Amino acid sequence: MRAATLLNGSITVDELPIPVPGPMQVLVKTRRCAICASDTHFVTSADVMIENSKRFGGPYANIDLTKPIAMGHEFVAEIVEYGPQTQQQHPVGTRVTAIPGMVVDDQLSIVGYDSSYPGGFAEYMLLFEPLMLAVPDEVSDDLATLVEPLAVGLEHARAGHPTVDDTVLVIGAGAIGLGVIAGLKKAGVERIIAADLDAGRRDLAVQMGATFGVDPRETSPYGPQKAFDGKQVDLVYECVGRRGMLNQIIPGLGVGARIVMGGYSLEPEELLVPPAQDRRLTIYFASGEELQDMALALASIADGSIDVRSWVGRTIGLEEVAAAIPSINAPSSPIRTLVDPAR
Amino acid sequence: MRAATLLNGSITVDELPIPVPGPMQVLVKTRRCAICASDTHFVTSADVMIENSKRFGGPYANIDLTKPIAMGHEFVAEIVEYGPQTQQQHPVGTRVTAIPGMVVDDQLSIVGYDSSYPGGFAEYMLLFEPLMLAVPDEVSDDLATLVEPLAVGLEHARAGHPTVDDTVLVIGAGAIGLGVIAGLKKAGVERIIAADLDAGRRDLAVQMGATFGVDPRETSPYGPQKAFDGKQVDLVYECVGRRGMLNQIIPGLGVGARIVMGGYSLEPEELLVPPAQDRRLTIYFASGEELQDMALALASIADGSIDVRSWVGRTIGLEEVAAAIPSINAPSSPIRTLVDPAR
């Protein structure tokens, strides 16, 4: 099968064997796959991610960088063949998406970040049947690729235990921050500030349900907010993932505030403990979607209650993946660029 | 009045004016005051504490280091004179202790860390009446000095929202860690591991209610615990306050575990975010006692339900304070050395 694969830091289009489904696995044919910001991390810093997983535990410890890896974990695909010990709830040909996890012998791997489990930048993938969901007809292939990133945002949102009484700041209006905003709206939160450097992203945030956007270089989101009768931010979602964010956030907060760390950063944060103690802060670390988040994301896209059509950028073929990935994180980029391996 | 005062990094015995109580303030005569580990921080690093408070907000921003400061915030004293606008619930002569906070014009200062508010290493102090508690007759002066540090531990304990289902690790068996253990027992927690490098401290921890102690150089407190039918630690209290603790704790934990940061460290922690995200951790930052913690500490010492008699070391005079402070943090030191300004 054809695949855009990463080896020695560069991406080329290669031939890989079509994988054979083992127990609880399903062979699927990729229809569309979105490029995630994590893919750029992996291209530049897979060695650091592996080292950190070895040191601290984590899903990347067993990745073999000497073999080509087809990335891509935000996908829609159709069922081709079931492996042994499968429930086979959905007929062959059904469109599916999935949490990109693969569990073999109690060992978790990530589809798209493992040479044994090619992701959606390949024509075929293996999925772990218990983590797979059927995509209803009313959800297009393009929108189906957004189920996974939206689900991450929904999980992050609930990790902060938001209530209608909270005044919330979401820092970073990429896919995750936008998904958090959608999740906060679902939870009934009424006061949401979105901070992003890019005006276009701030507009998207308001479309998703933020009350207003701020450019943090010009307007501090902390302190009493006129728009909210003087209420102050008491719940912050960090969706940027850059060293130094915590030290920017903490001084702006009052006693009892909460922070959700959603951004993925390979550089350690410098955390000065006493200012966090003085404020009796709580920091929640949000990880990634669970099945309930995938189901909610899929249902919300299907019924239109979360509108992610504005996230979709252009669709490219496998040959264009290498060139596209470095620009994915530019603020002017669309939220998601899609890959069609059949193109 | 006589006082052991800190100026330019050294402590000498000086004469200070007896302070005059302002609105809501009470002049008290010190009977006994314990030396806290924070006092050693202040001697060596007051400038860093002030700078951090200026940068991040905090109670130390307005300390004037050009004036002599009488430290000491774990005290028992007797009421001498009430200032204006006081409730005067207790007659002159009543023994009292207090949260060492002083609020003037919405500005919080700490008694014992401010040249305007000498602490218990002076013959007289001003206390803020709303933060003052009367000490019942059955509590000796020595034990009354332990109300404040015990209350800090009780606050830290509840900051972690402990339940009877938790398996808890308390790292560091100084006054705070021991108070945490006492608070956990009060909350009904049955499985408590105390980690400390010093065998004597581990014995004290077991006396306070820990199930067993471990020397972390020899025995990891993480992973399945035989003594607890294979249960693993899911709630950790960091009561050491040293850079690097978080990176030691996080790899030992499973999904959903909680950490309470109780230790006071002036060096920033290096926090690698993805391992905390993979585990969906929660970090609570514990600050210090509130009135409910002081009241519980005082009542528990009075009724004997928390026995802190083993915390008491020798009592010294003001002239000995300078020599005593550097050795306070040695693991072989008693939990508390007391100062009697009248000696």
Side-chain angles (χ1 to χ4, degrees):
Chain A
M1 65 176 179
R2 294 175 70 241
T5 63
L6 174 69
L7 189 65
N8 300 324
S10 66
I11 294 172
T12 53
V13 177
D14 278 330
E15 280 291 320
L16 290 180
I18 295 177
V20 178
M24 303 180 77
Q25 296 177 347
V26 185
L27 178 69
V28 299
K29 185 170 196 295
T30 309
R31 293 174 68 95
R32 204 78 93 245
C33 182
I35 303 176
C36 170
S38 301
D39 298 330
T40 66
H41 282 300
F42 195 76
V43 170
T44 58
S45 311
D47 52 340
V48 181
M49 293 165 68
I50 292 168
E51 187 52 39
N52 285 344
S53 273
K54 284 180 177 165
R55 192 169 155 216
F56 292 100
Y60 305 119
N62 295 308
I63 293 174
D64 181 354
L65 287 180
T66 68
K67 294 181 182 164
I69 294 174
M71 299 191 296
H73 59 275
E74 301 177 353
F75 46 72
V76 57
E78 58 190 54
I79 297 173
V80 175
E81 186 189 341
Y82 281 98
Q85 299 164 41
T86 45
Q87 303 297 316
Q88 309 191 17
Q89 273 190 301
H90 309 292
V92 166
T94 302
R95 290 188 310 149
V96 293
T97 183
I99 294 179
M102 179 61 74
V103 182
V104 176
D105 297 335
D106 289 335
Q107 173 80 43
L108 173 68
S109 304
I110 308 294
V111 172
Y113 292 133
D114 193 303
S115 57
S116 302
Y117 304 109
F121 306 159
E123 286 186 282
Y124 293 87
M125 299 179 281
L126 296 179
L127 302 183
F128 189 54
E129 192 190 37
L131 300 181
M132 197 175 79
L133 293 89
V135 174
D137 290 344
E138 60 267 36
V139 177
S140 68
D141 281 346
D142 284 4
L143 295 186
T145 66
L146 304 178
V147 170
E148 199 272 350
L150 174 60
V152 173
L154 298 180
E155 184 270 344
H156 286 15
R158 69 183 170 84
H161 305 284
T163 77
V164 292
D165 296 325
D166 287 320
T167 301
V168 183
L169 170 65
V170 179
I171 305 176
I176 306 308
L178 296 175
V180 166
I181 292 167
L184 292 170
K185 292 302 286 185
K186 285 253 168 200
V189 175
E190 291 164 356
R191 295 183 295 276
I192 305 172
I193 306 173
D196 199 287
L197 303 180
D198 182 71
R201 292 288 172 98
R202 294 196 296 274
D203 288 346
L204 279 177
V206 171
Q207 279 179 42
M208 295 302 293
T211 319
F212 61 89
V214 298
D215 181 338
R217 293 167 301 194
E218 293 171 3
T219 309
S220 167
Y222 304 105
Q225 297 294 319
K226 276 188 190 164
F228 300 145
D229 294 331
K231 288 194 167 64
Q232 303 194 33
V233 164
D234 56 9
L235 174 57
V236 179
Y237 288 84
E238 197 297 293
C239 302
V240 174
R242 206 177 55 228
R243 181 183 174 86
M245 293 303 297
L246 269 180
N247 281 348
Q248 286 180 33
I249 295 167
I250 289 172
L253 298 180
V255 171
R258 296 112 72 202
I259 301 170
V260 177
M261 295 299 282
Y264 186 85
S265 174
L266 288 169
E267 277 198 296
E269 267 289 8
E270 193 184 71
L271 169 66
L272 198 57
V273 174
Q277 291 173 321
D278 289 342
R279 293 168 173 79
R280 300 174 198 271
L281 299 184
T282 299
I283 302 182
Y284 299 108
F285 294 86
S287 175
E289 75 282 8
E290 297 183 276
L291 271 179
Q292 62 170 296
D293 307 299
M294 289 291 281
L296 180 60
L298 188 53
S300 300
I301 292 174
D303 69 16
S305 61
I306 299 179
D307 183 355
V308 288
R309 287 173 298 177
S310 57
W311 297 19
V312 178
R314 69 197 174 108
T315 299
I316 61 177
L318 291 177
E319 285 78 5
E320 298 163 274
V321 170
I325 281 186
S327 64
I328 290 302
N329 290 332
S332 56
S333 296
I335 297 297
R336 282 296 182 265
T337 296
L338 308 186
V339 178
D340 178 357
R343 193 176 270 218
Chain B
M1 65 175 178
R2 293 175 71 238
T5 63
L6 174 69
L7 189 65
N8 300 322
S10 66
I11 294 172
T12 53
V13 177
D14 277 328
E15 281 291 319
L16 290 179
I18 295 178
V20 178
M24 303 180 77
Q25 296 178 347
V26 185
L27 178 68
V28 299
K29 186 168 194 297
T30 309
R31 292 174 66 96
R32 206 77 94 244
C33 182
I35 303 175
C36 171
S38 302
D39 298 331
T40 66
H41 281 301
F42 195 76
V43 170
T44 58
S45 311
D47 52 339
V48 181
M49 294 165 69
I50 292 167
E51 187 53 39
N52 284 344
S53 273
K54 284 180 176 166
R55 190 170 156 216
F56 291 100
Y60 305 119
N62 295 307
I63 293 174
D64 181 355
L65 286 180
T66 68
K67 293 181 181 164
I69 294 174
M71 298 191 298
H73 60 274
E74 301 177 352
F75 46 70
V76 57
E78 59 189 52
I79 297 173
V80 175
E81 186 191 341
Y82 282 98
Q85 298 166 41
T86 45
Q87 303 296 316
Q88 308 190 16
Q89 273 189 303
H90 308 293
V92 165
T94 302
R95 290 189 309 150
V96 294
T97 184
I99 295 179
M102 179 62 73
V103 182
V104 175
D105 296 336
D106 290 334
Q107 172 79 47
L108 173 67
S109 304
I110 308 294
V111 172
Y113 291 132
D114 193 302
S115 57
S116 302
Y117 303 110
F121 305 160
E123 287 185 283
Y124 294 88
M125 300 179 279
L126 297 179
L127 302 183
F128 189 54
E129 193 190 38
L131 299 181
M132 197 174 80
L133 293 89
V135 174
D137 290 344
E138 59 267 35
V139 177
S140 70
D141 281 347
D142 284 3
L143 295 187
T145 65
L146 305 177
V147 170
E148 200 272 350
L150 175 59
V152 173
L154 298 180
E155 184 271 342
H156 285 16
R158 69 183 170 85
H161 305 284
T163 76
V164 292
D165 296 324
D166 287 320
T167 300
V168 183
L169 170 65
V170 178
I171 305 176
I176 307 307
L178 295 176
V180 166
I181 292 167
L184 292 171
K185 292 303 286 185
K186 285 253 168 200
V189 175
E190 291 164 357
R191 296 182 294 276
I192 305 172
I193 306 173
D196 199 287
L197 304 180
D198 182 72
R201 292 289 172 96
R202 295 195 296 273
D203 288 345
L204 279 177
V206 171
Q207 279 179 43
M208 294 304 292
T211 320
F212 61 91
V214 299
D215 181 338
R217 294 166 300 193
E218 293 171 5
T219 310
S220 168
Y222 303 106
Q225 297 294 319
K226 275 189 192 164
F228 300 146
D229 294 331
K231 289 194 167 63
Q232 304 195 31
V233 165
D234 55 9
L235 173 58
V236 179
Y237 289 83
E238 196 297 293
C239 302
V240 174
R242 206 177 55 229
R243 179 184 177 86
M245 294 303 297
L246 269 180
N247 281 349
Q248 287 180 31
I249 294 167
I250 289 172
L253 297 179
V255 171
R258 297 112 72 201
I259 301 170
V260 177
M261 295 298 282
Y264 186 85
S265 174
L266 288 170
E267 276 198 297
E269 267 288 8
E270 193 183 70
L271 168 65
L272 200 56
V273 174
Q277 291 174 322
D278 289 341
R279 292 168 174 81
R280 300 176 199 268
L281 298 184
T282 300
I283 302 183
Y284 299 108
F285 294 86
S287 175
E289 76 282 8
E290 298 183 276
L291 272 179
Q292 63 170 296
D293 307 299
M294 289 291 280
L296 180 60
L298 187 53
S300 301
I301 291 174
D303 69 17
S305 61
I306 300 179
D307 184 354
V308 288
R309 287 173 298 178
S310 58
W311 296 21
V312 178
R314 69 198 173 107
T315 299
I316 61 177
L318 292 177
E319 285 79 3
E320 299 164 272
V321 171
I325 282 185
S327 63
I328 290 302
N329 290 333
S332 56
S333 297
I335 297 297
R336 283 296 182 263
T337 296
L338 308 185
V339 178
D340 178 357
R343 193 175 270 218

